[in-house]
Amino acid sequence: MSKLLNCTNDDILDMFPRLADLDGGTFGEDADTFGDTLREVIQDEPQTRDLPFKRQTIRELRNFLIYSDEDIERVSWVMLGINPTVAPEEPPNWGRFPSLRAFWSAVLHAFENDPEVQAGREIDPSP
């Protein structure tokens, strides 16, 4: 039984503020402008965020992925400007995920494996 089915969109946005912020970045409606494939967009997303955001996103994703597939679907439609389970016509070869759970798991993996998260500190990009 879905725990989030009866939540309003605003309730969901309040529950997962960092996930909601992802839509304003590379996962927005023009996600294809940020990478040649969906996997590239996912890998690049952590690089656009500061360390506190990355840590908060990891916590939210770990909590979020505990929910049922039905709840993940409900939240995803509120959060994302794209549908990562459907291969779009444009751009070609963009890619897709077999499920929303697989998509969010890949996002979690990208954030968890970010060099700053791994180092536990912000890394100065200048040489």
Side-chain angles (χ1 to χ4, degrees):
M1 181 73 172
S2 172
K3 294 180 181 179
L4 301 175
L5 191 59
N6 294 322
C7 291
T8 67
N9 289 359
D10 288 337
D11 291 339
I12 289 171
L13 294 172
D14 289 343
M15 289 173 66
F16 303 104
R18 294 300 142 245
L19 299 186
D21 287 345
L22 292 177
D23 182 36
T26 58
F27 293 127
E29 290 183 24
D30 296 326
D32 60 322
T33 64
F34 292 95
D36 292 332
T37 69
L38 184 53
R39 289 201 184 271
E40 288 175 347
V41 170
I42 290 170
Q43 291 303 311
D44 292 344
E45 176 61 28
Q47 297 171 24
T48 68
R49 307 299 179 155
D50 63 15
L51 186 57
F53 183 95
K54 294 172 190 180
R55 288 178 173 158
Q56 293 165 358
T57 302
I58 289 168
R59 279 193 299 274
E60 279 187 26
L61 283 166
R62 286 178 178 164
N63 289 332
F64 175 58
L65 288 168
I66 293 170
Y67 284 94
S68 70
D69 288 344
E70 184 178 59
D71 285 323
I72 289 173
E73 183 174 336
R74 166 80 171 106
V75 171
S76 296
W77 299 139
V78 174
M79 299 289 178
L80 294 173
I82 60 171
N83 181 350
T85 63
V86 174
E89 292 179 23
E90 293 293 328
N93 303 317
W94 169 248
R96 68 178 196 87
F97 282 81
S99 69
L100 290 166
R101 182 176 298 280
F103 169 79
W104 289 113
S105 294
V107 173
L108 174 61
H109 181 77
F111 274 90
E112 287 177 330
N113 290 294
D114 178 77
E116 289 185 337
V117 171
Q118 292 292 308
R121 61 180 172 77
E122 292 192 12
I123 298 173
D124 186 2
S126 60

